[in-house]
Amino acid sequence: MDVYALYRDLGGIREGHFLLSSGMHSPLFFQSAAVMQHPKVARKLAAALAEQVAGWPVDFVIGPAIGGVLLSSYLAEQLGVRGIFAEKSADPERMRIRPGLIVQPGEHFLAVEDVLTTGGSVGRAIRAAEAMGGRCSGLAAIIDRSGGNTLPAAPLAALLTLTVPRYPPATCPICDQGLPLQEI
Ligand SMILES: [Zn+2]
C-alpha cells in the first residue's frame, strides 16, 4: 500500500510551506482526519497495521484523543479487542482515561497514534494506562515521522516512515524560494 499517495490524494498530506506551532517551517503538513473520515480507507490502514503487530500481546488498544481515537477503534476491531482512548486532563503533563473505559491490572495494550512525531501525547496515554495497571506491548502508527526522537515505547510498527525537515525561519530554504508561508 502506498500510504504517502493515499494521504496526498485524500488531503492528508499537504505539500508547500507551513508554519508549525513550534515556530519552525516545514514543507509538509499532515492531517490524518482527512484520511480517517473515510471508513473503508481507515479499515484498510488498520488491517495493514494489524498484520504488523500480529503476535504482540494485546488486550486493548489505546490512543490519545483526538488523533488516536479512530485509529484505536479501527485497529481494535481488526485485533478483536477493546479500543479506548486517553484525553487531556487539567494537568497538561497527564492524560485521563474516563470512567467506563476498561483497563484491568496486568492487561497488555498497544498504544497508537496516527502520525508519530515526538511521541509526547501517546506517551501520556501510555502512562495513563500504566497507572491503571496496564502493560505496554509497543507502539503503532500510520506514519512515523519521529526521525530519531526517543519514543515512549518499543517495539514500533508503522506503515510509512518519513524524515520531514523542519527549518528555523532564518535558514529556511523554502522561504528563499519565495513560496508563501501558510499557517496551520
Ligand atoms: Zn520558510
Side-chain angles (χ1 to χ4, degrees):
M1 189 187 341
D2 187 341
V3 173
Y4 191 95
L6 184 71
Y7 261 65
R8 190 189 52 214
D9 294 349
L10 294 173
I13 294 181
R14 288 165 57 205
E15 296 166 342
H17 188 200
F18 301 101
L19 176 63
L20 305 177
S21 53
S22 60
M24 305 280 273
H25 294 190
S26 172
L28 290 180
F29 169 60
F30 296 83
Q31 177 55 272
S32 285
V35 175
M36 299 297 283
Q37 70 181 320
H38 302 288
K40 284 180 183 166
V41 176
R43 188 165 279 126
K44 205 165 94 175
L45 290 166
L49 267 180
E51 272 181 35
Q52 288 201 16
V53 303
W56 297 15
V58 178
D59 297 304
F60 65 91
V61 182
I62 187 168
I66 297 172
V69 175
L70 284 174
L71 182 59
S72 171
S73 197
Y74 279 101
L75 192 49
E77 179 190 46
Q78 295 294 325
L79 298 173
V81 299
R82 302 189 305 278
I84 70 171
F85 59 91
E87 61 193 313
K88 285 182 178 167
S89 71
D91 178 351
E93 291 305 310
R94 288 174 189 275
M95 285 190 138
R96 68 186 283 265
I97 296 172
R98 64 171 65 182
L101 300 180
I102 302 165
V103 177
Q104 306 275 20
E107 279 190 323
H108 291 90
F109 66 89
L110 177 65
V112 298
E113 184 145 69
D114 48 5
V115 179
L116 194 58
T117 306
T118 62
S121 60
V122 75
R124 287 188 283 280
I126 289 171
R127 288 196 295 278
E130 285 177 342
M132 294 172 73
R135 296 156 67 178
C136 187
S137 297
L139 267 175
I142 299 170
I143 297 174
D144 168 23
R145 55 166 298 189
S146 58
N149 279 317
T150 304
L151 295 174
L156 168 66
L159 298 181
L160 174 65
T161 301
L162 279 179
T163 305
V164 182
R166 282 183 281 181
Y167 308 108
T171 58
C172 173
I174 324 171
C175 282
D176 291 344
Q177 292 166 21
L179 206 61
L181 184 66
Q182 290 176 265
E183 288 196 32
I184 54 178

